[in-house]
Amino acid sequence: GNSVTQMEGPVTLSEEAFLTINCTYTATGYPSLFWYVQYPGEGLQLLLKATKADDKGSNKGFEATYRKETTSFHLEKGSVQVSDSAVYFCALGSGGSYIPTFGRGTSLIVHP
Amino acid sequence: GAGVSQSPSNKVTEKGKDVELRCDPISGHTALYWYRQSLGQGLEFLIYFQGNSAPDKSGLPSDRFSAERTGGSVSTLTIQRTQQEDSAVYLCASSWKGGGGGETQYFGPGTRLLVL
């Protein structure tokens, strides 16, 4: 079946540091890949997505590239801000299932 | 706004009582999902509704949990005889068609349930 594995947190960084949150997946067929973000006290919201191999999703300075050869979709940002502190979820959606598969989430804490 | 809304935002109840959680999806979205998020855990799928089709209840953890969706819109998740392990954030999400694939899910803010 489908699965998503993302690095455990918390990830603690200083403001303006470089961020990488690793995400790898297992899926049949050609899934779409997502990053969702959950700010404290809120629900999840879409951060970015990619629907086919080599696509790059980007939003708010975050980027992730769909790498089929390594089955990965790592999230990166060049310079994090305190306001980026949140929990980040990697997810996949496969045409074979209407239930998306979510990773366990990675907490990011950014200090001033 | 026209996002997904959930009520109540917080609910404290005593063990053994029944609770009802409400979700109002985005207008026009035919797919609706319920998830449970326990402290420090990921998302646990509970139930899925798609249009007028029979719901997928495969994620419900016990027969104390049930859900309805009336008129293809508002949904209610009911937990009977609540237990302390039911304490969690219950998230609702909707999407246009629920066909999986590249479809984005839109989440509500959640209901934080605490069972004493």
Side-chain angles (χ1 to χ4, degrees), chain B residues 11-71:
Chain B
K11 176 71 176 179
V12 180
T13 191
E14 294 179 348
K15 177 182 173 180
K17 296 286 181 68
D18 298 351
V19 295
E20 285 190 351
L21 313 179
R22 176 188 167 105
C23 172
D24 209 331
I26 293 174
S27 178
H29 281 192
T30 61
L32 188 148
Y33 301 77
W34 281 99
Y35 297 92
R36 179 167 68 176
Q37 185 177 28
S38 301
L39 188 63
Q41 301 297 309
L43 271 66
E44 176 187 6
F45 164 76
L46 297 178
I47 189 169
Y48 163 76
F49 294 90
Q50 168 56 32
N52 296 320
S53 301
D56 181 337
K57 305 178 182 180
S58 61
L60 295 178
S62 78
D63 59 8
R64 295 186 296 105
F65 288 72
S66 63
E68 292 184 339
R69 188 177 184 193
T70 54

Side-chain angles (χ1 to χ4, degrees), chain A residues 35-77:
Chain A
W35 278 101
Y36 287 86
V37 59
Q38 184 179 31
Y39 297 103
E42 300 182 9
L44 282 69
Q45 58 185 271
L46 179 70
L47 180 60
L48 54 84
K49 73 177 188 182
T51 58
K52 62 183 188 295
D54 299 325
D55 268 2
K56 177 186 286 188
S58 61
N59 186 25
K60 300 181 181 180
F62 291 88
E63 293 182 340
T65 301
Y66 189 142
R67 301 286 189 200
K68 188 168 176 59
E69 63 276 12
T70 54
T71 62
S72 65
F73 193 55
H74 304 321
L75 182 68
E76 297 182 336
K77 186 174 185 182

Side-chain angles (χ1 to χ4, degrees), chain B residues 92-106:
Chain B
C92 175
S94 69
S95 64
W96 281 110
K97 294 182 291 185
E103 198 166 83
T104 298
Q105 294 205 325
Y106 296 83

